[in-house]
């Protein structure tokens, strides 16, 4: 029976964890909606229920004079607002369905209509009128609840300011201690009466139900705190030190998070189990219910503080320590952390007991003053430890510099202080100074608030820092190219390692931003209402209306997932085409590239349309978007559109294709890639010429290899008139025949181009398989021609060298 208590939500505990920094008592009720009853109620019934709840809040707000009461009223008003908004949202589809049915009936004919149709029209009109009334009532109720919640929040802020600014007698004044002594016997009597109620309730419950359930709960709580907690801590350390643990920094931060979870949850759940076992037999007196709840919450918070210090400091294992401090400081700071945990636990419990016992006001003030002074002493001790750590580091750095100078070696300059250390010391000194001055002047509420906020802010900052480190390490490890998931993604999608690393960085940044927002919310929660954040998150989850569409975070998430899956599927299909199917066809390289490129962009378009459909954006809205884009295309995107259309024409008509040797302007080279925007041409010096596709469509280009064109070699030179041209012709034909690149068909030819000025102009042609071979083959033929002409005594005409000589002056 008592085990069912473990299944109840820990929402109250988590809320009080956020509010403890303000000194707000832990027994605050959270107005959580009854999910089971809300699911069975109709929207109209939920609106009526929310209206009654809001009326009760309005009646109770005038008599509320405590932070706890106002907080409960704010929660109830916010819940009424959420119920009203949910009811309105649930009624909207019914209204749209009725409008569609009425539209099918059409307008009323001039000559009247059939009685059955008229009767249906009347019934539909009445239903629509009723729905409109319910929706309007729900909207008005939601707005009224929102305004009421804001009004109560202002009252809470004003009351908090009054409490912090309330002045009482100074602890140095005898008046305070005189009044405390006068009320002490009465307060002790009230505490004894509360203790007697606790004993009586336990006695009656055990007499009726026996000790089996409480003893079983206590034994199980002890087992959870000691053997189970210690075994799980040992298990985590052993796994982190094994080879099965992930490599890198995630091993260390993951262990720290594991120790934080184990150290926080097991003691808190043990306290919950113990209280649940007593509540199962009704052993808790009515006035002690809030004390029992505070006991559970305080255990969670104290365990969280102690576990956070243990996983960050790790005094016995310096290599696993996440903070940059030495062993001595780690040991001392852990002791102070344990002191802060126990002090927080005792503070919450004593204040809960004081409220339950209805002790005097002066007793509560004295207790708050003692708690504030204890917090101040604890903070001063921690600051002294940090100052000693700084002095030790400075002395070690100075000694290292002296030793380096004595040895004549270069030494590193003394580093600057750690940023978090400087901020912690400065904030601690300010908190201690403010708390001491406030305590001496009699502002005990402000003193305790300042001291508790210093401890709470420190805990939140350290916890956020730890979780941010773990989120960063985990995201980078999860999407690392060499990890198991990274290798799977690379093999299945073909993503390069750099893209996976970029994805890990983006996931890490997203997680860290979320953690920073949560940390800031936890820090500022004592000054406001945490349910405001809950309302904002719920409103965001409900969707943001943009025009006629509702954009929901879940839809955005699934649209991103669909887009990624579509792109991955597109890559798989494209890889299958390029590596498996197309090589087995008779298509050339250019045709394969055209099919692969078209499939690539078609896959991208289909994936984008699929993602937009997941977002709820229909094709009619895409048509409006295309109309809007056409205006931009007409003004500023003409060149881009022209290149895009030209690329489609190149891929379809294929006037040039991959592997063609083309000449455009004074540049010529091989076409290596054709995309929808530009074409890449590799020129002779191995550089890449990127040509917009519109240039290849609108201008004249020379395709030297279109339709398997041959390369032609032309050699022209002149010889003297007395040269044996028959011998020269046979010599050149032999040179052509001896070259393996020169084709025998078409056959090489040698011609006399002209005879002029005592010179014979020779012109010859030969053919090679490809235009790419022309330059190299022509050079080889010229080398061979010069050697053969020299060996056979055939003189080639050299340029005439003319020298002008002037007569000397007389």
């Amino acid at each position: 029976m008592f085990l069912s208590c473990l299944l109840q939500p820990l929402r109250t505990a988590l809320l009080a964890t956020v509010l403890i920094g303000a000194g707000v008592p832990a027994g605050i009720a959270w107005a959580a909606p009854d999910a089971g009853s809300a699911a069975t109620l109709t929207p109209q019934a939920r609106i009526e229920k929310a209206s009654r709840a809001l009326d009760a809040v309005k009646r109770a707000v005038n008599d509320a004079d405590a932070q706890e009461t106002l907080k409960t009223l704010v929660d109830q008003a916010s819940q009424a607002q959420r119920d009203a908004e949910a009811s309105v949202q649930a009624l909207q589809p019914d209204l749209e369905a009725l409008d569609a049915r009425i539209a099918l009936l059409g307008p009323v004919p001039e000559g009247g209509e059939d009685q059955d149709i008229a009767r249906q029209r009347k019934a539909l009109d009445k239903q629509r009128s009723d729905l409109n009334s319910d929706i309007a009532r729900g909207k008005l109720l939601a707005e009224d609840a929102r305004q009421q919640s804001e009004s109560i929040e202002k009252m809470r802020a004003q009351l908090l300011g009054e409490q912090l600014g309330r002045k009482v007698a100074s602890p140095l004044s005898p008046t305070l201690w005189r009044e405390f002594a006068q009320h002490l016997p009465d307060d002790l009597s009230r505490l004894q009466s509360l203790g007697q109620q606790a004993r009586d309730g336990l006695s009656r419950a055990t007499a009726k139900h026996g000790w089996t359930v409480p003893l079983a709960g206590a034994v199980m709580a002890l087992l959870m705190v000691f053997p189970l907690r210690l075994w799980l801590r040992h298990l985590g350390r052993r796994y982190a030190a094994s080879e099965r643990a992930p490599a890198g920094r995630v091993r260390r931060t993951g262990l720290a998070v594991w120790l934080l979870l184990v150290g926080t949850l097991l003691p808190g759940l043990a306290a919950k189990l113990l209280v649940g076992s007593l509540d199962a037999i009704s052993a808790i007196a009515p006035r002690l219910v809030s004390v029992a709840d505070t006991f559970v919450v305080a255990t969670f918070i104290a365990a969280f503080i102690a576990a956070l210090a243990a996983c960050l400091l790790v005094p016995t294992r310096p290599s696993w320590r996440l903070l940059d401090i030495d062993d001595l400081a780690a040991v001392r700071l852990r002791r102070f952390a344990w002191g802060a945990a126990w002090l927080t636990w005792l503070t919450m419990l004593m204040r809960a007991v004081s409220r339950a016992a209805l002790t005097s006001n002066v007793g509560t003030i004295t207790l708050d003053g003692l708690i504030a002074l204890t917090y101040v002493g604890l903070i001063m001790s921690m600051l002294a430890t940090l100052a000693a750590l700084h002095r030790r580091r400075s002395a070690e750095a100075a000694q290292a510099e002296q030793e380096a100078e004595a040895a004549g070696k270069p030494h590193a300059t003394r580093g600057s202080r750690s940023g978090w250390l400087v901020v912690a010391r400065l904030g601690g000194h300010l908190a201690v100074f403010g708390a001491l001055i406030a305590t001496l002047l009699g502002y005990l509420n402000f003193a305790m608030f300042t001291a508790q906020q210093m401890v709470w802010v420190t805990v939140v900052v350290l916890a956020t820092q730890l979780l941010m480190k773990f989120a960063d390490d985990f995201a980078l490890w999860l999407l690392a190219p060499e990890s198991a998931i990274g290798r799977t993604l690379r093999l299945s999608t073909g993503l390069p390692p750099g893209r996976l690393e970029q994805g890990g960085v983006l996931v890490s940044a997203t997680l860290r931003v979320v953690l920073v927002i949560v940390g800031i919310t936890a820090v500022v929660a004592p000054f406001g209402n945490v349910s405001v954040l809950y309302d904002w998150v719920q409103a965001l989850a409900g969707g943001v209306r943009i025009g006629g569409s509702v954009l929901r975070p879940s839809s955005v998430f699934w649209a991103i997932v669909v887009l990624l899956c579509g792109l991955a599927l597109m890559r798989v299909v494209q890889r299958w085409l390029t590596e498996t199917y197309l090589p087995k066809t008779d298509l050339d390289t250019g045709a394969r590239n055209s099919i692969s490129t078209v499939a690539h962009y078609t896959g991208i378009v289909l994936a984008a349309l699929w993602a937009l459909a997941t977002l709820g954006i229909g094709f009619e809205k895409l048509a409006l978007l295309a109309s809007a884009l056409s205006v931009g295309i007409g003004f500023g995107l003409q060149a881009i559109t022209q290149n895009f259309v030209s690329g489609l024409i190149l891929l379809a008509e294929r006037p040039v294709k991959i592997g063609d040797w083309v000449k455009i302007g004074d540049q010529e080279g091989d076409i290596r890639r054709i995309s929808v925007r530009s074409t890449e041409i590799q020129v002779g010096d191995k550089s890449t010429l990127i040509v917009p596709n519109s240039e290849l469509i609108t201008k004249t280009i020379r395709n030297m290899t279109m339709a398997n064109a041959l390369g032609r070699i032309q050699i022209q030179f002149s010889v003297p008139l007395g040269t044996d041209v028959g011998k020269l012709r046979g010599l050149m034909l032999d040179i052509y025949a001896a070259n393996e690149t020169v084709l025998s068909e078409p056959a090489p030819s040698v011609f006399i181009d002209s005879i002029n000025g005592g010179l014979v102009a020779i012109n010859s042609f030969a053919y090679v398989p490809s235009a790419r071979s022309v330059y190299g083959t022509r050079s080889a033929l010229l080398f061979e021609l010069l050697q053969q002409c020299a060996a056979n005594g055939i003189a080639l005409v050299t340029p005439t060298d003319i020298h002008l000589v002037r007569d000397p002056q007389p």
Side-chain angles (χ1 to χ4, degrees):
M1 181 177 180
F2 62 90
L3 290 176
S4 62
C5 300
L6 295 178
L7 303 178
Q8 299 175 357
L10 296 177
R11 195 174 184 181
T12 305
L14 296 177
L15 175 64
T17 302
V18 178
L19 296 177
I20 181 59
V24 179
I28 297 177
W30 179 273
D34 188 352
S37 61
T40 57
L41 293 178
T42 62
Q44 292 83 355
R46 292 184 65 182
I47 292 176
E48 184 65 30
K49 180 181 177 182
S51 178
R52 292 195 301 269
L54 186 59
D55 292 339
V57 170
K58 291 179 179 179
R59 290 192 300 268
V61 72
N62 296 326
D63 299 330
D65 57 353
Q67 285 280 346
E68 298 85 349
T69 305
L70 292 176
K71 173 65 179 62
T72 303
L73 294 178
V74 169
D75 293 335
Q76 292 175 358
S78 300
Q79 183 60 42
Q81 178 186 353
R82 289 192 292 269
D83 288 342
E85 292 175 348
S87 300
V88 170
Q89 188 175 3
L91 291 174
Q92 286 292 345
D94 296 339
L95 181 62
E96 294 175 359
L98 281 176
D99 290 337
R101 294 176 63 185
I102 294 174
L104 290 176
L105 295 178
V108 180
E110 295 181 358
E113 57 185 358
D114 188 71
Q115 293 183 357
D116 293 337
I117 297 178
R119 189 165 45 253
Q120 292 180 12
R121 186 188 301 275
K122 183 178 180 180
L124 291 176
D125 289 339
K126 185 179 184 305
Q127 292 179 18
R128 190 181 187 282
S129 177
D130 294 341
L131 273 180
N132 268 330
S133 301
D134 294 334
I135 291 175
R137 183 187 178 193
K139 290 181 178 179
L140 290 175
L141 181 61
E143 181 63 22
D144 191 10
R146 185 188 65 81
Q147 295 178 358
Q148 188 67 31
S149 177
E150 292 179 354
S151 176
I152 299 175
E153 279 294 335
K154 293 179 181 178
M155 294 177 60
R156 284 191 64 205
Q158 183 179 0
L159 182 60
L160 178 61
E162 292 176 357
Q163 290 178 353
L164 295 180
R166 185 179 302 165
K167 183 179 180 181
V168 297
S170 172
L172 301 179
S173 172
T175 305
L176 177 64
W177 298 104
R178 190 181 303 113
E179 294 179 359
F180 176 73
Q182 292 175 358
H183 290 84
L184 182 59
D186 187 27
D187 291 340
L188 292 177
S189 175
R190 292 173 184 238
L191 291 174
Q192 290 176 358
S193 175
L194 184 65
Q196 186 62 40
Q197 291 183 21
R199 288 190 294 271
D200 293 343
L202 181 62
S203 299
R204 288 193 298 268
T206 53
K208 182 177 180 180
H209 301 283
W211 286 92
T212 304
V213 174
L215 290 179
V219 170
M220 292 186 65
L222 290 175
L223 291 176
M224 292 177 66
V225 172
F226 293 104
L228 182 59
R229 181 176 63 90
L230 296 178
W231 179 75
L232 290 176
R233 286 165 58 92
H234 174 71
L235 182 65
R237 291 194 182 100
R238 188 173 64 180
Y239 175 77
S242 65
E243 297 181 353
R244 295 178 299 168
R249 298 179 304 176
V250 69
R251 179 194 300 252
R252 188 172 62 168
T253 54
L255 175 62
V257 172
W258 171 256
L259 295 179
L260 179 62
L261 291 175
V262 171
T264 302
L265 294 178
L266 288 181
L269 292 177
K272 183 74 175 176
L273 181 62
L274 182 61
V275 172
S277 64
L278 294 175
D279 186 57
I281 61 172
S282 302
I284 302 177
R287 291 180 60 184
L288 289 172
V289 172
S290 61
V291 178
D293 294 338
T294 305
F295 169 74
V296 176
V297 175
T299 304
F300 269 108
I301 296 173
F304 178 76
I305 296 175
L308 180 64
C311 67
L312 289 177
L313 299 175
V314 196
T316 58
R317 293 178 176 84
S319 60
W320 294 90
R321 189 175 302 146
L322 297 178
L323 298 182
D324 185 18
I325 55 178
D326 56 25
D327 294 343
L328 181 60
V331 173
R332 293 182 178 178
L333 288 177
R334 186 178 182 184
R335 294 174 183 171
F336 295 140
W338 276 96
W342 280 108
L343 180 59
T344 302
W345 188 82
L346 289 173
T347 299
M348 295 180 63
L349 208 58
M350 287 190 297
R351 297 188 71 186
V353 171
S354 177
R355 287 192 302 271
L358 302 176
T359 57
S360 62
N361 189 27
V362 67
T364 303
I365 293 173
T366 306
L367 177 63
D368 292 344
L370 293 176
I371 292 173
L373 291 176
T374 307
Y375 270 114
V376 168
L378 181 64
I379 295 173
M380 291 178 63
S381 301
M382 297 176 67
L383 292 176
T385 300
L386 295 177
L389 172 63
H390 173 65
R391 287 194 298 270
R392 286 197 302 271
R393 289 188 170 180
S394 300
E396 292 173 357
Q399 183 179 0
E401 291 179 3
Q402 293 177 0
E403 293 177 354
E405 290 177 356
K409 299 179 179 179
H411 58 85
T413 58
R414 191 176 303 180
S416 59
R417 299 184 184 182
S418 177
W420 73 270
L421 202 59
V422 174
V423 173
R425 292 185 61 188
L426 178 61
H429 283 95
L430 292 176
V432 168
F433 180 76
L436 281 177
I437 296 299
T439 303
L440 296 178
L441 293 178
Y443 296 98
L444 297 182
N445 289 335
F446 179 78
M448 189 174 65
F449 178 81
T450 303
Q452 286 184 332
Q453 281 303 301
M454 180 61 193
V455 175
W456 176 242
V457 169
T458 303
V459 170
V460 171
V461 169
L462 291 177
T464 304
Q465 184 181 9
L466 169 62
L467 295 177
M468 287 177 63
K469 287 183 178 180
F470 172 71
D472 183 45
D473 297 341
F474 179 75
L476 295 180
W477 166 79
L478 187 67
L479 295 179
E482 62 275 5
S483 67
I485 297 179
R487 288 193 299 268
T488 303
L489 291 175
R490 287 172 57 191
L491 294 175
S492 59
T493 63
L495 289 174
R499 293 291 178 85
L500 285 177
E501 293 177 353
Q502 292 174 11
V505 172
L506 291 177
V507 172
S508 170
T510 304
L511 293 177
R512 285 186 291 173
V513 168
V514 172
L515 290 173
V516 168
I517 294 175
V518 173
I520 294 175
T521 304
V523 170
V524 302
F527 306 97
N529 186 12
V530 184
S531 62
V532 174
L533 176 64
Y534 175 75
D535 294 339
W536 179 78
V537 172
Q538 189 178 31
L540 183 62
V544 178
R545 183 170 294 277
I546 301 177
S549 302
V550 178
L551 189 63
R552 294 180 175 85
S554 58
S555 300
V556 175
F557 171 76
W558 286 114
I560 294 175
V561 171
V562 163
L563 180 61
L564 294 177
C565 292
L567 294 178
L569 181 61
M570 177 269 299
R571 286 181 175 272
V572 172
V573 172
Q574 186 184 20
R575 181 179 297 181
W576 175 78
L577 282 174
T578 56
E579 297 180 2
T580 304
Y581 177 72
L582 291 178
K584 293 180 172 57
T585 63
D586 297 333
L587 300 175
D588 55 19
T589 305
R592 297 176 192 173
N593 175 76
S594 299
I595 295 175
S596 175
T597 304
V598 171
H600 173 75
Y601 287 104
T602 302
I604 292 177
V605 172
L606 292 178
L609 292 176
W610 190 12
L612 292 175
T614 306
L615 279 176
I617 300 177
F619 289 100
E620 66 280 358
K621 298 177 182 177
L622 293 179
L624 295 176
L625 179 62
S627 301
L629 288 178
S630 62
V631 179
I633 292 173
F635 286 97
L637 302 177
Q638 293 181 3
I640 296 176
T641 306
Q642 184 180 11
N643 290 325
F644 179 79
V645 175
S646 299
L648 296 179
I649 294 174
L650 289 176
L651 293 173
E653 294 187 356
R654 299 176 63 210
V656 294
K657 57 184 180 297
I658 291 180
D660 283 353
W661 182 274
V662 297
K663 184 174 183 180
I664 178 169
D666 58 348
Q667 298 287 340
E668 60 179 306
D670 276 316
I671 294 181
R672 295 300 185 189
R673 182 173 180 268
I674 300 176
S675 64
V676 294
R677 192 196 67 83
S678 62
T679 298
E680 298 178 5
I681 301 176
Q682 185 177 358
V683 296
D685 59 357
K686 301 303 180 182
S687 62
T688 301
L689 182 68
I690 300 177
V691 182
N693 289 331
S694 59
E695 296 286 325
L696 301 177
I697 295 297
T698 59
K699 293 186 178 181
T700 302
I701 62 171
R702 183 180 179 185
N703 192 338
M704 300 181 180
T705 56
M706 189 173 183
N708 296 324
L710 302 177
R712 191 183 72 162
I713 298 174
Q714 181 181 17
I715 298 178
Q716 294 176 313
F717 60 94
S718 298
V719 295
L721 187 59
T723 304
D724 187 355
V725 292
K727 181 179 179 182
L728 176 61
R729 181 175 182 274
L731 179 64
M732 291 192 65
L733 292 176
D734 292 340
I735 292 174
Y736 286 138
N739 192 292
E740 297 179 354
T741 308
V742 177
L743 297 176
S744 58
E745 186 65 33
S749 56
V750 180
F751 303 96
I752 295 178
D753 190 60
S754 65
I755 301 175
N756 188 15
L759 298 176
V760 179
I762 304 298
N763 192 6
S764 65
F765 300 94
Y767 295 90
V768 292
S770 172
R772 299 179 185 85
S773 306
V774 170
Y775 190 83
T777 306
R778 185 173 182 273
S779 175
L781 292 173
L782 288 175
F783 274 114
E784 186 66 23
L785 176 63
L786 291 176
Q787 292 177 2
Q788 293 294 334
C789 288
N792 289 275
I794 299 175
L796 300 179
V797 176
T798 58
T800 304
D801 191 8
I802 301 176
H803 297 273
L804 298 179
V805 180
R806 294 183 179 181
D807 293 337
Q809 293 293 334

